[in-house]
Amino acid sequence: MTLPLTWLYAPGDRPAVVRKALASGADVVIVDLEDAVAPDRRAYALAATVDLLSDPHPVPIHVRIHTPRDIAPLASLPGLGGFRVPKVTHATDIHRIAEAAPGVPLFPLLESALAVEHAYAIASAHPAVHGIALGEADLRADLGLRHDSGLDWPRGRVVVAARAAALPPPAQSVHPDIHDLDTLAADCARGRALGFLGRAAIHPRQLAVIEQAYLPTPDEVAAAEEVVKAAETEEGALALPDGRFVDAAVVTGARRVLALAARA
């Protein structure tokens, strides 16, 4: 199965917006019970999300919980695809959530310096963990950053931790300016170079930009096809016509490129 490239957040207390998100073309819709919902609306948001998830949907729906108390009403509903778990700092946080929601995929969000330090322990904490990601807004505040370059090391750290734990490459955190699509595209290109795959979004207009940025170029597709074709006729290290040698890891990467290209 091709991995998702677009993850669209929608506030849980606005069911009409959630339903528009489900029709937006996003690979995954994340119903937000945390930052996007005012404190006096959280009870309503939870009730509306219970209603939404009482039936299955063709688009996977994840829920970013606000508190562990959100888990019990949602965990057994047929429309739930996973929990986004904010502000995780230790592997023990994951064990508690996994025990409360058996069988539900978990996606911890690393939003503090302590969480980044424990990235691999969190990523490998439990079989229920299906992916990790940074929560960059909170992490910026925690680190007191004045420039985006301060996130380069945490970004690399979470990519390495995901790979070391045999998880899919993490998706980038959201880009908060829904109008500046050029900066979004450039930032996605940097994220792709760092090893991310796809990105979370806060508005449907961001989806096409994210997908295009993460789809392979024609030259990348042609190179991948050459590698895969060579692998079909030889085993072990391969010599391509231009003199380059490739091994099994390169072949695996080439196959992933072709799987992504098939989306287009």
Side-chain angles (χ1 to χ4, degrees):
M1 179 182 295
T2 302
L3 294 173
L5 294 183
T6 53
W7 315 72
L8 180 59
Y9 278 95
D13 64 336
R14 300 177 65 186
V17 174
V18 173
R19 295 196 179 277
K20 286 182 180 179
L22 290 170
S24 68
D27 294 326
V28 179
V29 169
I30 305 172
V31 177
D32 194 0
L33 301 182
E34 198 202 20
D35 290 345
V37 180
D40 63 351
R41 299 270 294 173
R42 287 198 172 118
Y44 170 70
L46 178 59
T49 304
V50 169
D51 183 62
L52 173 76
L53 299 181
S54 296
D55 297 305
H57 296 267
V59 178
I61 300 175
H62 294 181
V63 176
R64 180 164 71 168
I65 61 173
H66 168 61
T67 170
R69 291 190 299 272
D70 296 333
I71 294 172
L74 298 169
S76 62
L77 296 178
L80 179 68
F83 282 129
R84 299 267 152 177
V85 187
K87 297 178 175 58
V88 173
T89 56
H90 295 83
T92 52
D93 299 335
I94 297 303
H95 285 286
R96 286 194 292 268
I97 300 294
E99 289 172 4
V104 178
L106 304 181
F107 297 82
L109 299 176
L110 284 55
E111 303 182 78
S112 66
L114 184 58
V116 173
E117 284 295 304
H118 293 162
Y120 174 70
I122 292 168
S124 59
H126 195 278
V129 176
H130 284 214
I132 59 173
L134 289 177
E136 292 188 356
D138 284 8
L139 184 58
R140 281 188 185 93
D142 189 42
L143 297 176
L145 298 181
R146 300 181 63 188
H147 192 276
D148 201 51
S149 61
L151 289 170
D152 287 351
W153 187 86
R155 287 167 175 167
R157 179 75 178 97
V158 76
V159 169
V160 171
R163 178 58 186 155
L167 298 176
Q172 282 185 274
S173 188
V174 299
H175 180 68
D177 189 335
I178 65 172
H179 300 291
D180 188 356
L181 299 182
D182 290 339
T183 299
L184 171 63
D187 198 51
C188 287
R190 287 192 292 271
R192 186 180 179 210
L194 285 171
F196 288 90
L197 183 66
R199 187 163 199 164
I202 55 174
H203 195 281
R205 67 165 56 100
Q206 297 177 317
L207 299 178
V209 176
I210 294 168
E211 183 165 18
Q212 187 60 41
Y214 273 96
L215 287 174
T217 66
D219 287 346
E220 290 170 335
V221 173
E225 288 175 339
E226 183 179 28
V227 169
V228 171
K229 182 178 180 181
E232 291 173 349
T233 58
E234 299 183 44
E235 296 182 358
L238 309 172
L240 300 181
D242 62 4
R244 286 178 295 136
F245 278 85
V246 297
D247 58 14
V250 176
V251 175
T252 298
R255 291 192 172 116
R256 189 171 75 178
V257 167
L258 297 183
L260 284 172
R263 292 172 61 104

